[in-house]
Amino acid sequence: MSGPDASAAPRFDLPEPDAFTRPYWDAAAEGRLLIRRCAGCGRAHHYPREFCPHCWGEDVAWEDASGAATLYAWSEVHRNDLPPFGAQVPYTAAVVDLAEGPRMMTRIVDHPADGLRAGMRLRVAFRSLADGAPAVPVFRPLSE
């Protein structure tokens, strides 16, 4: 590694946008969550792929998601040896069901893990993990 970051530890939490995922990360910077929907079978999917994982169709397009989700599963992480996760523990890793259908891995923020419950209603938020890094979607429970 060379350049100004040569002595910095590698970051395993930062996205690496490419030409295909650039619309996703640009939307996230604007506070919008994008998913992909297949014109052939009509099903939505997440993470972004150039084909439909349900019918293998290639006629898929970006679509704004509502940002609404429900909590499916979660785990409070107390140890993670990959940089920089060790400095972020404890954190709540989660799987959420987006209102549009896809399941998504994410983090739950601004809520203690012991107060979570399956089926809890959530709303997307966006958090930047480092200066100049793309914003990533995280979720917060709605007031109930």
Side-chain angles (χ1 to χ4, degrees):
M1 189 184 311
S2 63
D5 296 324
S7 63
R11 295 281 307 250
F12 294 98
D13 63 335
L14 298 180
E16 295 183 19
D18 58 25
F20 171 69
T21 62
R22 177 66 53 202
Y24 180 85
W25 299 114
D26 288 349
E30 298 169 359
R32 297 182 301 121
L33 178 64
L34 293 185
I35 56 175
R36 301 275 286 172
R37 185 169 302 274
C38 177
C41 71
R43 293 179 70 182
H45 62 272
H46 184 82
Y47 63 92
R49 285 164 271 201
E50 296 186 52
F51 63 91
C52 175
H54 306 291
C55 73
W56 299 98
E58 294 180 2
D59 189 6
V60 292
W62 294 106
E63 171 183 306
D64 279 300
S66 67
T70 56
L71 185 58
Y72 177 74
W74 67 96
S75 179
E76 187 172 24
V77 178
H78 291 273
R79 181 177 176 154
N80 190 327
D81 295 331
L82 289 174
F85 295 107
Q88 299 170 5
V89 295
Y91 61 87
T92 304
V95 177
V96 302
D97 289 327
L98 299 177
E100 293 77 13
R103 269 200 179 134
M104 176 180 176
M105 292 187 68
T106 187
R107 280 192 188 185
I108 304 298
V109 297
D110 303 331
H111 199 280
D114 62 358
L116 298 173
R117 63 174 170 49
M120 180 178 267
R121 294 181 316 141
L122 308 168
R123 185 83 187 147
V124 72
F126 294 87
R127 185 174 277 181
S128 182
L129 301 173
D131 289 339
V136 297
V138 295
F139 285 80
R140 290 186 173 101
L142 292 174
S143 302
E144 296 190 4

